């Protein structure tokens, strides 16, 4: 689609994929959506992005990133049939993290019908240069149905500027920095967008808007990479309360690279999020579903496994909760994941780890592609460094020897020195 053009889309559940080609010097990017009534959000709840992944109505949710086939994609799910009648437009936006969109090659947004796989709309290469945020497209109501418009409107003020322009209250300034040695150029004002058609006349009684957020929206986040693999929790504001560790995943092929077959469908794959811990007084142990060792949040080990999930959905997945009010009681925590059943390795599995402190910026990272027959992966090592907790990205696939359990394998690799016995769940 050329910039400014529009096309009808089915008023049903749609997958909105923002994608680009990664490479050296290419910044990360994030997809977001704003649900608008009369050109503005009704409350901060109408903003869906990585820190606020689901709209209260259930009509829009952020499903997360994956890397496959030489590109990175960040996905939104939009169910137009569930959009409240007061919402006239859904703006589909992107923000660059650590650079400008001129450094992001082959940027596109694509709308597909997941039920049929048919592409309903696609907008490629919006002509970005120094912008740090972009409105790529929008859904809008037209004569009782919905249309998609290719917009291509840029912002030099990043996600904060884009969000505040539509009425979002942001808790702290977020200023994008230009690449070293360069001077940021002013972004020319975009051409006037085509008038938005009025909403359908005589609508049914409007739904109540989402409840106002208790606090302003927090935009800050930290993405760990091989080049920058660690971060201090204290520096990100994560000094108290709880911290949720979430693992979500997607399976993209039926056959693993090591001869194992995904068990007939995504629901048959069972991954277990676990944690080895060593407390300040020397006590050691494991939190895992195997053996029903779910831990405890308010007594040692101050780590609790929330449940056992088999879907990998970004809204649920596998979750551990760590009580940061007892950070002085921790010496080290190793968060890891095992394949319990449904596959012979992590091949063809694309997973994201998110650590969300109650009072700090979220920390996330993606796992690299698995190229070895691994059934256990060390995700993150959290170490007490004298009053602060340092989070270290591990993303390390390990290959158990024949007859050796994944737990013993990771224990040996990190020197925990525990005794292991067979267990069930």
């Amino acid at each position: 689609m050329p910039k400014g053009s529009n096309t009808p889309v089915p008023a049903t559940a749609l997958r909105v994929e923002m994608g680009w080609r990664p490479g050296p010097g290419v910044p990360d990017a994030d997809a977001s959506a704003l649900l608008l009534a009369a050109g503005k959000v009704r409350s901060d709840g109408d903003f869906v992005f990585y820190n606020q992944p689901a709209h209260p109505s259930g009509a829009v949710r952020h499903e997360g990133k994956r890397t496959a086939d030489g590109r990175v994609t960040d996905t939104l799910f939009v169910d137009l049939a569930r959009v409240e009648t007061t919402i006239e437009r859904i703006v589909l936006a992107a923000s660059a993290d650590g650079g400008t969109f001129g450094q992001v090659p082959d940027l596109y947004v694509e709308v597909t019908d997941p039920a049929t796989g048919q592409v309903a709309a696609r907008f490629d290469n919006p002509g970005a240069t120094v912008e740090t945020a972009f409105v790529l497209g929008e859904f809008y109501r037209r004569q009782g149905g919905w249309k998609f418009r290719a917009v291509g409107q840029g912002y030099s003020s990043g996600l904060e500027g884009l969000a505040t322009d539509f009425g979002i209250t942001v808790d702290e300034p977020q200023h994008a920095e230009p690449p070293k040695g360069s001077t940021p150029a002013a972004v020319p004002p975009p051409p006037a967008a085509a008038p938005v058609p009025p909403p359908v006349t005589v609508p049914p009684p409007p739904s109540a808007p989402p409840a106002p957020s208790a606090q302003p929206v927090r935009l800050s986040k930290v993405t760990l990479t091989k080049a920058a693999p660690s971060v201090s929790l204290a520096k990100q504001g994560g000094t108290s309360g709880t911290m949720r560790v979430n693992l979500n995943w997607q399976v993209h092929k039926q056959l693993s690279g090591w001869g194992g077959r995904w068990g007939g469908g995504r629901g048959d794959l069972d991954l277990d999020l676990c944690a080895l811990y060593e407390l300040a007084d020397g006590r050691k142990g494991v939190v895992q579903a195997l053996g029903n060792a779910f831990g405890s949040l308010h007594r040692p080990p101050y780590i609790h496994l929330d449940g056992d999930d088999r879907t990998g959905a970004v809204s649920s997945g596998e979750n551990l909760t760590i009580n940061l009010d007892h950070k002085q009681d921790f010496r080290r925590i190793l968060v890891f994941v095992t394949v319990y059943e449904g596959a012979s390795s992590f091949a063809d599995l694309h997973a994201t780890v998110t650590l969300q402190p109650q009072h700090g910026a979220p920390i996330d990272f993606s796992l690299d592609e698995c190229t070895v027959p691994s059934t256990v992966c060390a995700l993150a090592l959290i170490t007490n460094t004298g009053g602060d907790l340092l989070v270290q990205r591990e993303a390390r696939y390990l290959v158990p020897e024949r007859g050796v359990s994944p737990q013993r394998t990771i224990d040996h690799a990190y020197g925990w020195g525990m005794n292991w016995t067979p267990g069930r769940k």
Side-chain angles (χ1 to χ4, degrees):
M1 296 178 62
K3 182 175 178 178
S5 63
N6 62 73
T7 185
V9 294
T12 183
L14 298 172
R15 186 173 187 266
V16 180
E17 179 181 277
M18 180 190 76
W20 68 95
R21 180 165 48 85
V26 176
D28 193 19
D30 297 289
S32 58
L34 298 108
L35 290 78
L36 307 182
K40 298 286 184 179
V41 297
R42 300 164 301 171
S43 77
D44 292 346
D46 284 337
F47 186 28
V48 176
F49 70 121
Y50 50 79
N51 275 2
Q52 196 165 269
H55 190 262
S57 69
V60 182
R61 68 174 183 263
H62 180 245
E63 295 200 323
K65 294 179 186 175
R66 65 181 178 93
T67 302
D69 303 324
R71 64 181 181 181
V72 180
T73 57
D74 199 7
T75 303
L76 297 163
F77 173 87
V78 180
D79 190 346
L80 293 175
R82 298 180 64 179
V83 176
E84 297 150 300
T85 56
T86 52
I87 297 298
E88 302 165 0
R89 299 162 56 201
I90 302 175
V91 167
L92 306 170
S95 56
D97 186 7
T100 68
F101 275 109
Q103 301 167 284
V104 179
D106 300 338
L107 180 66
Y108 70 88
V109 60
E110 184 176 87
V111 180
T112 59
D113 183 346
T116 63
Q118 183 176 359
V119 176
R122 182 177 172 114
F123 178 35
D124 288 273
N125 298 322
T129 54
V130 298
E131 299 87 350
T132 50
F134 240 92
V135 174
L136 294 171
E138 64 181 8
F139 295 117
Y140 65 95
R141 295 185 187 271
R142 177 71 172 181
Q143 295 179 347
W146 286 91
K147 282 192 168 186
F148 172 83
R149 178 186 288 122
V151 178
Q153 176 179 331
Y155 290 75
S156 61
S157 49
L159 186 59
E160 182 203 7
L162 185 149
T164 55
D165 195 47
F166 289 105
I168 296 294
T169 304
V170 178
D171 71 337
E172 56 187 71
Q174 301 288 308
H175 299 294
E177 296 182 2
K180 292 182 179 180
S182 67
T183 302
V187 178
V196 178
V200 180
T201 58
V202 195
S207 305
S213 303
Q215 296 180 338
V217 173
R218 178 183 288 271
L219 300 183
S220 57
K221 71 167 186 172
V222 177
T223 298
L224 301 182
T225 63
K226 288 181 179 178
S230 62
V231 65
S232 158
L233 275 184
K235 290 183 179 179
Q236 301 304 320
T239 57
S240 62
T242 60
M243 178 169 70
R244 189 183 75 160
V245 183
N246 173 264
L247 173 73
N248 66 80
W249 62 88
Q250 292 179 319
V251 177
H252 298 295
K253 295 180 183 178
Q254 283 296 318
L255 295 176
S256 79
W258 302 98
R261 188 178 295 272
W262 299 112
R266 174 172 163 173
D268 294 326
L269 175 65
D270 189 4
L271 301 185
D272 283 346
L273 186 64
C274 316
L276 283 169
Y277 63 84
E278 181 179 2
L279 300 182
D281 61 9
R283 284 180 289 176
K284 299 177 182 179
V286 65
V287 175
Q288 60 179 4
L290 200 66
N292 295 318
F294 288 92
S296 176
L297 196 60
H298 300 293
R299 61 179 185 270
Y302 308 111
I303 304 169
H304 183 253
L305 178 64
D306 295 2
D308 186 23
D309 182 78
R310 292 188 175 213
T311 66
V314 71
S315 57
S316 55
E318 291 269 316
N319 293 282
L320 279 165
T321 305
I322 300 172
N323 190 340
L324 297 182
D325 290 335
H326 287 270
K327 62 181 179 294
Q328 72 279 2
D329 293 308
F330 299 124
R331 184 171 292 168
R332 56 177 179 157
I333 303 168
L334 179 66
V335 182
F336 66 100
V337 61
T338 66
V339 177
Y340 182 71
E341 62 182 16
S344 63
S345 82
F346 288 107
D348 301 326
L349 183 80
H350 300 277
T352 301
V353 181
T354 303
L355 295 85
Q356 177 64 73
Q358 184 176 347
H359 303 297
I363 301 163
D364 65 19
F365 61 89
S366 297
L367 297 185
D368 301 322
E369 181 181 357
C370 179
T371 58
V372 295
S374 169
T375 55
V376 58
C377 179
L379 300 177
L381 182 63
I382 304 170
T383 307
N384 191 320
T385 58
D388 186 16
L389 294 179
L390 184 73
V391 178
Q392 171 84 25
R393 176 189 187 268
E394 295 292 306
R396 179 183 175 188
Y397 294 107
L398 301 173
V399 181
E401 296 180 2
R402 182 180 295 273
V404 178
S405 70
Q407 288 82 356
R408 285 181 184 269
T409 300
I410 203 157
D411 181 317
H412 178 74
Y414 286 85
W416 235 263
M418 292 173 54
N419 295 319
W420 296 92
T421 57
R424 290 179 173 271
K425 67 174 184 177

